[in-house]
C-alpha cells in the first residue's frame, strides 16, 4: 500500500471518528412546542391532581414543577459544571504534535564560497524524501497558574450566585402561589354559591320594577330596593373580577398547562380561617432579613468576585515564567540521534500589559466599589421592605377582623329576616336584600383573608425565609377533608 493511500485512509478515519463523536454530543432537535408541553403535563403527579389541592399541595407542585424554577436549577447546575471545569486550567499544558510529509523531487542544495564567490557544482541533501516528526511537550506558566486559581475561586462564587438567585426566585414563586391559591379558592366559592342567588337577585329587581310601573307599593321604596340590589350585584361582580384569573395564574405557577386539570379544596360560608397576631418584633425581622436575603448574599459574593478581578489584573502585569520539558522524534536518516529530550525555562513579558495596567486595575477597583455601594443600597431597601410588609400585615389583619365581624352580623341578619318572613312580619324583599349583603360580606371576608395571606407571604419573602415543605407532601392516600374547614391553614 502506497504512502498516499495510507494518508488518505488515516484522514478518512480521523474525520469519521470526529463526525461520530460530534453527532453523539449534539442535543436532540427541538420538538414542536405543543409536544413538549404535553410531555411536561404527562410528567406531573396525576394522583395529586386528582384530589382537591390544599395550599401545601399547590406550593409543593410549584416548587417541583414550575418551569421557570427548573431553569434556575439548571443554571445552578451549569455554574457548578463551570466551576469543575475551571480546575483543569491549573494543570500544565501538554501538547502533542505529529507530521508526515513527502517531497518530490527531494530537496537538493549547493554552496557558495564566501571568500572567492565560487559556487560548487556538486549538489547534496540532508533530508529524506519522506519525513516523519513527532513532539510531546509539557509546559507550565506560573502566572497562568495563579490566574487560573483566582478564576477557579470566582467560578465557585458564581455557583453560589446561581444558588442565591434560585432561592430568591423560589421565595417570589411561593409568594405568588399563596396569593393565587386563595383567590382561586374564593373564585370557586363565588361561582358555586352565587349562581343560584344571582338568579333570585335578578328576579327581585324585575319584580320591583314591575311593582314600580304598576304603582303597587311605594315607588321610592321600589327604586331604593332596586338600587340596593343592583349595587350589591355590582360589588360582587367587582370582587369576582379580582379573582377570575387566579386559577389560571395558579396553574401557571404549578407548571400545569390547564386550569381545568385540577380542583381546589372548598370553602364554606362559616369556614374557620385561622389568623394570628405577629409575634416577632420589627427589629428581630430586620436581623433575619439582613442575614438571609439572597440579594444581600449575592452582592457579598459579587464583591469577592470583583476583588479577585483586581488580583487577576495585578498578576497580568508579571512576566510569564515557567518550566518546560519535551520529547521529540525526527525520522531523518541524516540525523545521528533521531529521538531526543529537552528541558528548560521560558520567560515572556507583554510590555503592553504594563502600560495598560493602571487603567485596568483602576477600573476593577471602581467595579468593586460600585458593588459595595449597591450592597449598601440593597440593605436599605431590604429594611424598607420589611417595614412595609409588617405594616401591610398588621393593617390587613385589622381589616380582616372587622370584615369577619361584619360577615357574622350579616349572617345573623339573614337568619332573622328569614324567620320574620316565615312569621309573616317580614317581606321577601328584606330577606333577599339581607342574603345579598351576607354574600357580599362573606366574599369580602374571604378576599381580605387572601390579602392577609399575601401580606404574610411578602413579609416572609422580605425576610428571606426559605420554605420548609412537610415531611410527606405527596401521598397516595386521600386528604382528610375536602371542605373549607380542611382547606390549607396558614398562620
Amino acid at each position: 500500500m502506497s504512502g498516499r493511500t495510507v494518508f488518505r485512509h488515516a484522514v478518512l478515519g480521523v474525520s469519521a471518528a470526529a463526525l461520530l463523536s460530534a453527532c453523539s454530543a449534539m442535543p436532540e432537535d427541538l420538538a414542536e412546542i405543543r409536544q413538549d408541553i404535553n410531555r411536561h403535563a404527562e410528567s406531573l403527579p396525576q394522583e395529586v391532581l386528582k384530589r382537591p389541592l390544599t395550599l401545601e399541595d399547590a406550593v409543593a407542585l410549584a416548587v417541583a414543577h414550575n418551569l421557570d424554577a427548573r431553569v434556575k436549577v439548571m443554571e445552578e447546575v451549569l455554574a457548578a459544571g463551570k466551576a469543575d471545569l475551571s480546575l483543569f486550567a491549573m494543570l500544565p499544558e501538554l501538547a502533542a504534535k505529529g507530521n508526515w510529509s513527502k517531497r518530490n523531487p527531494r530537496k537538493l542544495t549547493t554552496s557558495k564560497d564566501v571568500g572567492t564567490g565560487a559556487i560548487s557544482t556538486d549538489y547534496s541533501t540532508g533530508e529524506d524524501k519522506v519525513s516523519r516528526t513527532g513532539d510531546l511537550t509539557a509546559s507550565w506558566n506560573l502566572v497562568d497558574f495563579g490566574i487560573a486559581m483566582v478564576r477557579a475561586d470566582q467560578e465557585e462564587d458564581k455557583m453560589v450566585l446561581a444558588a442565591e438567585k434560585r432561592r430568591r426566585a423560589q421565595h417570589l414563586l411561593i409568594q405568588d402561589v399563596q396569593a393565587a391559591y386563595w383567590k382561586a379558592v374564593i373564585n370557586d366559592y363565588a361561582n358555586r354559591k352565587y349562581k343560584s342567588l344571582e338568579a333570585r337577585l335578578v328576579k327581585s329587581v324585575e319584580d320591583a320594577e314591575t311593582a314600580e310601573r304598576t304603582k303597587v307599593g311605594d315607588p321610592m321604596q321600589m327604586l331604593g330596593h332596586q338600587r340596593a340590589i343592583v349595587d350589591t350585584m355590582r360589588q360582587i361582580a367587582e370582587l369576582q373580577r379580582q379573582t377570575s384569573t387566579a386559577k389560571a395564574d395558579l396553574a401557571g405557577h404549578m407548571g400545569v398547562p390547564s386550569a381545568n386539570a385540577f380542583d381546589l379544596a372548598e370553602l364554606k360560608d362559616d369556614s374557620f380561617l385561622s389568623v394570628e397576631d405577629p409575634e416577632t418584633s420589627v427589629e428581630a425581622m430586620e436581623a433575619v432579613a439582613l442575614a438571609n436575603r439572597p440579594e444581600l448574599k449575592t452582592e457579598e459574593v459579587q464583591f469577592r468576585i470583583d476583588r479577585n478581578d483586581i488580583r487577576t489584573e495585578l498578576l497580568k502585569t508579571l512576566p510569564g515564567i515557567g518550566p518546560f520539558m519535551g520529547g521529540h522524534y525526527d525520522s531523518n536518516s541524516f540525523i545521528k540521534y533521531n529521538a531526543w529530550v529537552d528541558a528548560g525555562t521560558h520567560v515572556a513579558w507583554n510590555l503592553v500589559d504594563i502600560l495598560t495596567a493602571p487603567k485596568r486595575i483602576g477600573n476593577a477597583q471602581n467595579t468593586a466599589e460600585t458593588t459595595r455601594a449597591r450592597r449598601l443600597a440593597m440593605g436599605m431597601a431590604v429594611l424598607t421592605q420589611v417595614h412595609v410588609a409588617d405594616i401591610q400585615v398588621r393593617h390587613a389583619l385589622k381589616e380582616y377582623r372587622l370584615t369577619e365581624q361584619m360577615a357574622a352580623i350579616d349572617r345573623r341578619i339573614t337568619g332573622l329576616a328569614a324567620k320574620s318572613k316565615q312569621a309573616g312580619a317580614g317581606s321577601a324583599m328584606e330577606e333577599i336584600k339581607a342574603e345579598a349583603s351576607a354574600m357580599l360580606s362573606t366574599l369580602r371576608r374571604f378576599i381580605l383573608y387572601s390579602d392577609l395571606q399575601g401580606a404574610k407571604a411578602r413579609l416572609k419573602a422580605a425576610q428571606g425565609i426559605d420554605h420548609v415543605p412537610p415531611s410527606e407532601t405527596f401521598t397516595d392516600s386521600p386528604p382528610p377533608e375536602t371542605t373549607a374547614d380542611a382547606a390549607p391553614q396558614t398562620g
Side-chain angles (χ1 to χ4, degrees), residues 260-423:
N260 298 324
F262 60 93
D263 294 318
L264 302 173
E266 295 182 359
L267 287 176
K268 288 184 177 180
D269 296 343
D270 56 348
S271 295
F272 173 75
L273 303 175
S274 62
V275 293
E276 299 175 359
D277 291 321
E279 298 179 355
T280 308
S281 65
V282 176
E283 292 75 14
M285 290 188 289
E286 286 180 353
V288 172
L290 293 177
N292 289 338
R293 278 292 288 268
E295 297 95 323
L296 290 176
K297 292 186 177 182
T298 296
E299 296 301 338
E300 292 169 1
V301 174
Q302 185 61 50
F303 186 72
R304 291 204 303 266
I305 294 174
D306 295 339
R307 292 184 63 180
N308 280 330
D309 282 337
I310 299 175
R311 294 189 178 95
T312 300
E313 297 301 337
L314 290 171
L315 287 173
K316 288 181 179 178
T317 62
L318 300 176
I321 182 171
F324 71 88
M325 182 176 65
H328 311 276
Y329 170 78
D330 192 332
S331 65
N332 193 347
S333 60
F334 295 95
I335 300 176
K336 183 174 183 180
Y337 300 107
N338 296 99
W340 69 97
V341 177
D342 60 2
T345 301
H346 59 77
V347 179
W349 202 354
N350 189 342
L351 300 181
V352 176
D353 284 343
I354 300 177
L355 298 177
T356 60
K359 287 287 186 182
R360 291 184 287 105
I361 294 174
N363 184 66
Q365 290 173 336
N366 291 336
T367 302
E369 291 305 316
T370 301
T371 302
R372 185 196 300 274
R374 188 168 57 243
R375 173 176 174 266
L376 178 60
M378 180 59 68
M380 185 61 67
V382 165
L383 294 181
T384 302
Q385 290 171 9
V386 170
H387 281 270
V388 171
D390 179 64
I391 292 172
Q392 289 176 338
V393 168
R394 295 180 187 278
H395 278 278
L397 181 60
K398 180 180 180 181
E399 190 174 359
Y400 170 75
R401 283 177 171 164
L402 290 173
T403 307
E404 186 177 38
Q405 185 178 3
M406 182 181 295
I409 294 173
D410 282 339
R411 285 197 297 271
R412 294 200 298 271
I413 291 175
T414 301
L416 290 176
K419 290 180 181 179
S420 296
K421 181 188 174 185
Q422 291 175 359

Side-chain angles (χ1 to χ4, degrees), residues 146-210:
I147 293 176
M149 286 186 62
V150 174
R151 287 180 175 166
D153 291 339
Q154 288 180 314
E155 291 298 333
E156 289 187 0
D157 285 335
K158 289 179 181 178
M159 182 173 63
V160 178
L161 281 180
E164 293 301 327
K165 290 180 180 178
R166 178 188 57 78
R167 281 187 62 223
R168 182 54 180 167
Q170 187 178 98
H171 293 167
L172 297 177
L173 174 63
I174 294 174
Q175 173 184 315
D176 292 341
V177 167
Q178 289 182 335
Y181 177 86
W182 281 108
K183 282 184 168 55
V185 168
I186 293 164
N187 186 68
D188 284 354
Y189 169 86
N191 292 338
R192 185 176 64 255
K193 294 291 186 179
Y194 180 58
K195 188 174 296 184
S196 60
L197 177 61
E198 184 178 23
R200 294 172 57 204
L201 293 175
V202 171
K203 186 178 184 304
S204 177
V205 172
E206 292 174 350
D207 291 345
E209 288 178 350
T210 302

Side-chain angles (χ1 to χ4, degrees), residues 104-122:
N104 190 19
R106 68 171 56 200
K107 183 179 180 180
L108 302 176
T109 61
T110 185
S111 61
K112 177 180 179 180
D113 191 313
V114 297
T116 63
I119 298 176
S120 174
T121 58
D122 296 329

Side-chain angles (χ1 to χ4, degrees), residues 72-143:
K72 294 298 181 183
V73 172
M74 295 177 70
E75 288 177 351
E76 186 178 356
V77 173
L78 183 62
K82 289 183 178 179
D84 292 338
L85 289 175
S86 65
L87 299 176
F88 292 100
M90 292 186 285
L91 298 176
E93 181 181 351
L94 185 63
K97 182 173 66 175
N99 182 58
W100 180 92
S101 64
K102 180 179 181 181
R103 181 185 176 109
N104 190 19
R106 68 171 56 200
K107 183 179 180 180
L108 302 176
T109 61
T110 185
S111 61
K112 177 180 179 180
D113 191 313
V114 297
T116 63
I119 298 176
S120 174
T121 58
D122 296 329
Y123 287 88
S124 62
T125 183
E127 298 180 3
D128 293 329
K129 195 172 183 179
V130 176
S131 174
R132 297 184 301 277
T133 61
D135 299 278
L136 183 63
T137 304
S139 60
W140 203 8
N141 189 313
L142 298 182
V143 173

